[in-house]
Amino acid sequence: MALERTLSIIKPDATTRNLTGKINAKFEEAGLRIIAQKRIQLTKAQAGKFYEVHAERPFYDELCDFMASAPVVVQVLEGDGAIAKNREVMGATNPADAAPGTIRAEFAQSVGENSVHGSDAADTAAAEISYFFAGLELVG
Ligand code: CMP
C-alpha cells in the first residue's frame, strides 16, 4: 500500500473536553504518524472556506459556527493507506452508526459535534493539508 498523508482536525467538542491525547493515541495505535500538528482558533470565515463544498447544505451555518466556537487541533497524519485508515479509525460521521472502538463511537456527541474530521480522498487531502500547513512544517 502507498504511503499517504491526510488532514485531520480534532474539533471543538473534543478539544474542550481535553480529548486531544486520547484521540492521538488512537491514531498512533493504528500506525498513523502525526507529522505536523498545531492548535488554532478558526474564525467563522476560515471554517466556512474550509467547508465550502458543503455551503448549500442545511447544516453549513451551524457547522461553521461550531468549528469557530473553540480551538481546534489541525494535524497531518502519515502512513500506509493513511486516508482510508484514518476514516476507519474515526468511524462513521454519525456516532450512532460508528463501529465500536472508533473515535466517534467513543467520544462524539452528535453528527455535528463528532470530534474529528478526516480527508475523504487523495485530492481533497492535498488541498486540505495546504489550507493549514506550509511544506516546511511537514516533518515525516
Ligand atoms: P466532517 O467529516 O467534518 O465533514 C462535514 C461535517 O458536517 C461532518 O463531519 C459533520 O460534523 C457536519 N454535519 C453536521 N450535520 C450534518 C448532517 N446532518 N449530515 C452530515 N454531516 C453533518
Side-chain angles (χ1 to χ4, degrees), residues 34-105:
I34 302 163
I35 65 162
Q37 175 169 259
K38 56 192 173 190
R39 181 176 169 99
I40 58 174
Q41 173 66 57
L42 289 173
T43 65
K44 186 174 180 180
Q46 289 166 338
K49 178 89 182 135
F50 179 77
Y51 278 118
E52 71 182 349
V53 65
H54 295 303
E56 302 306 317
R57 307 286 285 274
F59 57 80
Y60 179 67
D61 193 59
E62 191 183 335
L63 172 63
C64 297
D65 277 333
F66 167 61
M67 293 299 287
S69 67
V72 296
V73 175
V74 292
Q75 321 172 289
V76 180
L77 308 179
E78 183 181 81
D80 284 336
I83 297 166
K85 187 175 283 181
N86 182 38
R87 293 179 72 76
E88 206 177 293
V89 174
M90 289 192 299
T93 303
N94 186 340
D97 302 327
T102 61
I103 291 168
R104 286 168 170 158

